[in-house]
Amino acid sequence: MKKVGLPLISFSVSAGFPSPADDYTEENIDLNEYLIQNPFSTFFIRVKGDSMINSGIQDQDLIIVDKSLIAKPGDIVIAIIDERFTVKRLEKKDDIFYLKAENRNYPDLYLKNYSNMQIWGVVIYSIHNCR
Amino acid sequence: MNAIALIDGNNFYASCEQSINPCLRNKPLVILSNNDGCIIARSPEARTLRIRMGEPYFKIKKRLNKLGVIVLSSNYSLYGDMSKRLMNLLKKHCEKIEIYSIDEAFISIHRPHNKDLSPWARKLRTLVYQNLGLTITIGIAENKLRAKLANKLAKSINYSAGIFDLEIANNKDSYLKKINIDNIWGIGTQTSKWLRSKGIKNARELKDMNQHELKKKLGVVGQRIQLELKGYQCLPIEDKKNQKKEIRVSRSFSQPITKLEDLKQALAIYTIRASEKMRAQNLKASVVTIFARTSHYSNSNYQKSAYRKLIEATNNTNIILKIVIELSKEIYHPDYKLAKAGVLMQDLSDYNYFQKSIINYPSEDKSERETKLIQTIDYLNNKFKNEVITWGIAKKKQSWSMNRKLLSGTSITNIKRIPTIII
């Protein structure tokens, strides 16, 4: 009986000359491996809105968030304000932390104006569909 | 010396939901079991409203509404993924780990010179919160049983700190006294009744009970419990991967089943899932059991199971499906409304060590082709999710499938349903 090769799993090579590239093949590029250092604490989130447009994060982009990182001034972070997530840049001026939008139409957000503000995670990448 | 810690997630299902959805935080929240049957998890705020575990939803729906409690169907794919992340984090910070349930693990850690391990525990607790947004409780002691007690003590003595090291505590007996006999790991209802009749009410009294009397009634199990209460280590941390004794897939139906065709279909779908699970863990079953039963709330009770021993251990969906469909006739009864059914894959053996039977030896070529076919199906289903390929019987219209009306629908594993933030 003729053996049926299933290319997705098995690597039964059909007859013919062996490829000269066989010995040089490498694994495919794995974006997970490239983009994610801490898989156990990394989450994917979709964003809506234009408040971070100047940082390159646009409406409908996918952002990758690492919760294990400690946020530093200059980081783009996911914060919880009034029980809602938001994405802003963490800034520090005269020893006071605040959250800054990357769009002039949005105000800076100061901790003192909210009963509860918390950093949830640090944005490490944003993925934008270019088409 | 090594110490043992029992670590568990506080209000695990509710906390998973709250971690990825901040508007659920600090609010009374309950999670319902399959088919939105009863309450299986509560946030601390829901606890203080005296909403009890296990309460049937239909009975307290109005009350929950009035109290403004948020109600969610269980989102097991979320809890499963969070659990995996939690266990992997713990694994990185201990010597050995035994995953005990979706939100509990025993771990073993080195204790130098009778040192208090609370600082280590505090660090781990902060790390888990930072990484996952989940709060854990850590109980530390000399052995598994006492670690369980220490975990309970951590919750009752100082809930917000969530850490208790029983081994270095002064006056340990006074702590053991605080634990009711029914709350000791391994003591069932019958046993605790007997112990109470003997005047044994708490862990300290059980520890100091006459050992001959205990052994006479409860055998080596009772003896072991007493030894562990005294601080001896009897049960090792079982960190080997293949410790599963059976794989079970069972669910309640949203509508009672009365037709054999529906029962067959439900069992077939569970079989497809159970076989997949076996393959994912490199296991094969030698015994297949199926069961069906009526609702616990129903007046006419019926429960029946049937099993088949296999000549050769397998995890091939085709082979198991045939058996399950044959067996389903044996447990079906037209006079009863079936509320739940399930399949159990038992007598599991590790793939790598399994032996072929001499009888019923399938032709090498055929079995190899079948294996490849099923590997391909697993591969495609893994790649494209949502069972792009399955068996025909699973795709017919289902009138009985699970009810999850209040599902949040958020996922951290399916890109189409990841959380969206308005920025």
Side-chain angles (χ1 to χ4, degrees), chain A residues 1 3 6 8-10 39-52 57 62 67-70 78 80 83-88 106 116 118 120, chain B residues 19-27 82 84-85 88-89 92 129-133 365 368-369 372-373 375-376 379-380 411-412 415 418-423:
Chain A
M1 192 188 279
K3 217 170 178 177
L6 293 162
L8 287 170
I9 298 285
S10 68
F40 312 140
S41 56
T42 299
F43 296 83
F44 289 85
I45 287 169
R46 175 91 51 202
V47 297
K48 265 187 188 167
D50 59 358
S51 75
M52 292 301 286
I57 297 177
L62 187 69
K67 255 182 85 53
S68 73
L69 302 176
I70 310 283
I78 290 200
I80 301 173
E83 299 174 343
R84 281 172 53 191
F85 279 136
T86 187
V87 177
K88 295 286 175 289
Y106 292 80
N116 194 356
Q118 199 186 345
W120 188 81
Chain B
S19 171
I20 60 161
N21 188 352
C23 69
L24 299 175
R25 290 181 184 200
N26 309 314
K27 291 200 180 122
M82 284 297 231
K84 230 194 295 177
R85 289 167 184 251
N88 276 313
L89 261 182
K92 271 170 60 180
Y129 187 77
Q130 165 91 24
N131 278 252
L132 298 172
D365 199 25
E368 197 181 307
R369 273 196 305 146
K372 277 191 181 164
L373 174 66
Q375 278 178 348
T376 310
Y379 174 84
L380 291 171
S411 169
I412 49 175
I415 196 111
I418 55 170
T420 298
I421 300 184
I422 297 166
I423 62 169

Side-chain angles (χ1 to χ4, degrees), chain B residues 293-308:
Chain B
R293 66 162 171 80
T294 49
S295 159
H296 291 313
Y297 299 107
S298 130
N299 302 322
S300 52
N301 248 315
Y302 172 81
Q303 173 156 17
K304 199 163 181 200
S305 64
Y307 74 96
R308 171 84 53 87

Side-chain angles (χ1 to χ4, degrees), chain B residues 90-182:
Chain B
L90 297 180
K91 213 175 275 178
K92 271 170 60 180
H93 292 89
C94 67
E95 285 169 21
K96 269 186 184 176
I97 181 165
E98 174 185 343
I99 298 168
Y100 188 65
S101 72
I102 190 164
D103 65 342
E104 274 178 295
F106 287 104
I107 69 174
S108 106
I109 19 138
H110 181 62
R111 185 197 292 275
H113 317 296
N114 294 325
K115 222 172 104 185
D116 183 4
L117 285 171
S118 301
W120 163 85
R122 261 195 295 279
K123 246 192 229 163
L124 183 62
R125 208 165 172 265
T126 312
L127 181 101
V128 168
Y129 187 77
Q130 165 91 24
N131 278 252
L132 298 172
L134 300 175
T135 312
I136 55 172
T137 298
I138 306 177
I140 310 165
E142 305 88 333
N143 57 42
K144 280 169 139 178
L145 190 130
R146 280 171 72 108
K148 270 250 186 195
L149 300 185
N151 183 288
K152 279 212 162 66
L153 289 165
K155 284 184 184 122
S156 60
I157 296 170
N158 192 348
Y159 187 83
S160 55
I163 292 164
F164 190 73
D165 191 337
L166 181 59
E167 205 173 331
I168 58 109
N170 293 321
N171 205 356
K172 293 174 203 175
D173 275 2
S174 71
Y175 288 111
L176 291 186
K177 225 169 147 180
K178 287 178 201 269
I179 305 231
N180 273 340
I181 199 88
D182 336 64

Side-chain angles (χ1 to χ4, degrees), chain B residues 178-310:
Chain B
K178 287 178 201 269
I179 305 231
N180 273 340
I181 199 88
D182 336 64
N183 286 330
I184 297 171
W185 191 34
I187 302 278
T189 332
Q190 289 306 315
T191 313
S192 87
K193 252 189 209 159
W194 177 77
L195 286 166
R196 275 180 192 283
S197 77
K198 295 274 157 197
I200 308 291
K201 300 177 298 293
N202 58 50
R204 194 198 70 89
E205 287 167 355
L206 179 60
K207 179 182 74 112
D208 298 332
M209 184 185 176
N210 180 309
Q211 57 169 342
H212 300 294
E213 196 181 0
L214 185 71
K215 197 186 170 189
K216 212 170 141 193
K217 177 76 182 175
L218 302 175
V220 283
V221 178
Q223 202 182 13
R224 195 214 71 217
I225 290 176
Q226 192 178 42
L227 282 173
E228 291 229 323
L229 278 175
K230 287 182 175 165
Y232 296 99
Q233 222 179 66
C234 304
L235 297 172
I237 298 273
E238 292 169 35
D239 59 345
K240 292 205 187 70
K241 246 193 146 183
N242 182 19
Q243 44 168 312
K244 268 208 171 155
K245 290 198 187 80
E246 61 177 40
I247 285 179
R248 176 195 176 102
V249 177
S250 66
R251 257 154 234 166
S252 304
F253 311 128
S254 61
Q255 309 277 335
I257 280 183
T258 49
K259 284 193 221 132
L260 178 59
E261 281 314 300
D262 287 341
L263 178 64
K264 272 188 190 168
Q265 187 192 23
L267 290 169
I269 289 171
Y270 304 162
T271 303
I272 293 167
R273 182 80 194 104
S275 313
E276 229 171 55
K277 278 189 175 179
M278 280 200 282
R279 292 194 295 273
Q281 298 175 55
N282 284 342
L283 296 171
K284 293 188 172 189
S286 305
V287 176
V288 175
T289 300
I290 64 170
F291 72 90
R293 66 162 171 80
T294 49
S295 159
H296 291 313
Y297 299 107
S298 130
N299 302 322
S300 52
N301 248 315
Y302 172 81
Q303 173 156 17
K304 199 163 181 200
S305 64
Y307 74 96
R308 171 84 53 87
K309 279 192 179 158
L310 310 178

